[in-house]
Structure formats: C-alpha cells, structure tokens
C-alpha cells in the first residue's frame, strides 16, 4: 500500500472533463499541481474546450480554456495518520478556482454569432480526486462567485453552480 512518501511536490496530468451546465463545454487540459505546503496546492491548467449543441445537430465550437485553483485537502492529514491511500493528493478538497473560457477558435456547423462567448468565472469547489497507478479521477461541484460592486460595500454573491467529472492520466510526477 502506498502512503505519504508517494505524494509528489510536482505533478503533471492531462484530463478530459465533462462540466454541467454545458456553458463551458468539455475541456481537454494539461495540468500542473504544485504542493505549496501540505495540505495546500496550486493547480494550473490550460487546453481546449469543446462545446456541442444540445439538440445534437452537428454544431461544434472549440474554445481556449485555462484555470488556476488553490486547493486545500480537507482530510489529507487525517488519511496520512490512518495510513490510508493518499497517492499524489488522493483526497477530498476545498478550492477557489478561476476559469477563463475564450471566444471560439474554430467553428463547425455553427456561426460565430451563435457560438458561446468568452468569459472569466470564479468558483468555490468541493472536490474529490484519486490517482490509481497512472490513471486519474476528479469529481467536483460548487457555486460560482460574483464580485461586482465590491468598492461600494457589496459582498460576494453566489452566481450559479457547476459540477464536473474528469478522467485522465499522470504524465510526470
């Protein structure tokens, strides 16, 4: 069984993620996760997102997609004490994520007027990640946070929710 010695400080992964609602498509990203201080990491990723139409009429738009996430692994230290499987932060996490979704880079069967537009969004996620040998699974959900009017004394508001499941593999560790 693998324990704490198998948590690497630098991990490179690639994942394909399905996100709901579909307004950010299905990103294929390359990620770098760096341990800041156990159990805190920084995860940065970039790649492409594929958006299809809901009515399956062959429309596809391809967008640039990038994200950066500060993760706190909630139960990592407890799992280490209990000598449970923790390979490369296989644990439950709470994170603050900023995602950037570009305008369309390529369009197939759809006009640019009907394609999704670019946007930046912030999420507070609750997630679970697991690494099995070189395979990787990540499940997350959380509210979007809206920050308008902070200079006028307004507070952060919950905008919308998203959830996703990602499958991938570890490139380097």
């Amino acid at each position: 069984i693998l324990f704490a010695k198998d948590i690497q400080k630098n991990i490179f992964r690639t994942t394909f993620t399905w996100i709901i609602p579909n307004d950010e498509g299905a990103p294929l990203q390359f990620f770098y996760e760096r341990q800041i201080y156990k159990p805190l990491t920084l995860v940065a990723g970039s790649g492409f997102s594929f958006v299809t139409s809901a009515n399956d009429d062959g429309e596809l738009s391809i967008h640039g997609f990038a994200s950066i996430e500060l993760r706190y692994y909630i139960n990592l230290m407890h799992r280490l004490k209990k000598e449970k499987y923790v390979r490369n932060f296989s644990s439950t996490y709470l994170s603050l994520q900023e995602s950037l979704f570009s305008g369309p880079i390529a369009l197939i069967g759809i006009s640019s007027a009907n394609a999704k537009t670019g946007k930046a969004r912030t999420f507070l996620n609750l997630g679970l990640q697991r690494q099995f040998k070189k395979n990787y699974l990540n499940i997350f959900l959380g509210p979007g946070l809206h920050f308008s009017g902070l200079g006028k004394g307004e507070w952060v508001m919950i905008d919308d929710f998203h959830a996703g499941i990602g499958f991938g593999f570890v490139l380097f560790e």
Side-chain angles (χ1 to χ4, degrees), residues 74-142:
I74 300 166
N75 64 344
L76 182 68
M77 303 313 281
H78 176 73
R79 291 178 64 82
L80 285 167
K81 280 185 194 173
K82 297 283 186 182
E83 296 185 346
K84 292 191 176 191
Y85 186 84
V86 293
R87 173 107 189 198
N88 290 338
F89 300 100
S90 289
S91 185
T92 305
Y93 65 85
L94 185 63
S95 73
L96 186 62
Q97 174 192 7
E98 180 71 19
S99 66
L100 304 170
F101 178 80
S102 79
I105 296 169
L107 301 167
I108 300 170
I110 186 173
S111 70
S112 60
N114 293 332
K116 303 279 185 188
T117 58
K119 59 185 162 188
R121 297 170 72 183
T122 304
F123 293 97
L124 180 64
N125 292 323
L126 177 62
L128 171 71
Q129 80 173 14
R130 291 287 186 264
Q131 182 178 325
F132 309 97
K133 296 184 181 178
K134 290 285 187 181
N135 298 314
Y136 174 76
L137 170 69
N138 184 33
I139 301 168
F140 59 90
L141 62 94

Side-chain angles (χ1 to χ4, degrees), residues 58-74:
E59 294 178 348
L60 172 69
S61 60
I62 301 171
H63 302 257
F65 192 86
S67 65
I68 191 158
E69 192 172 7
L70 184 63
R71 289 185 181 174
Y72 174 75
Y73 289 92
I74 300 166

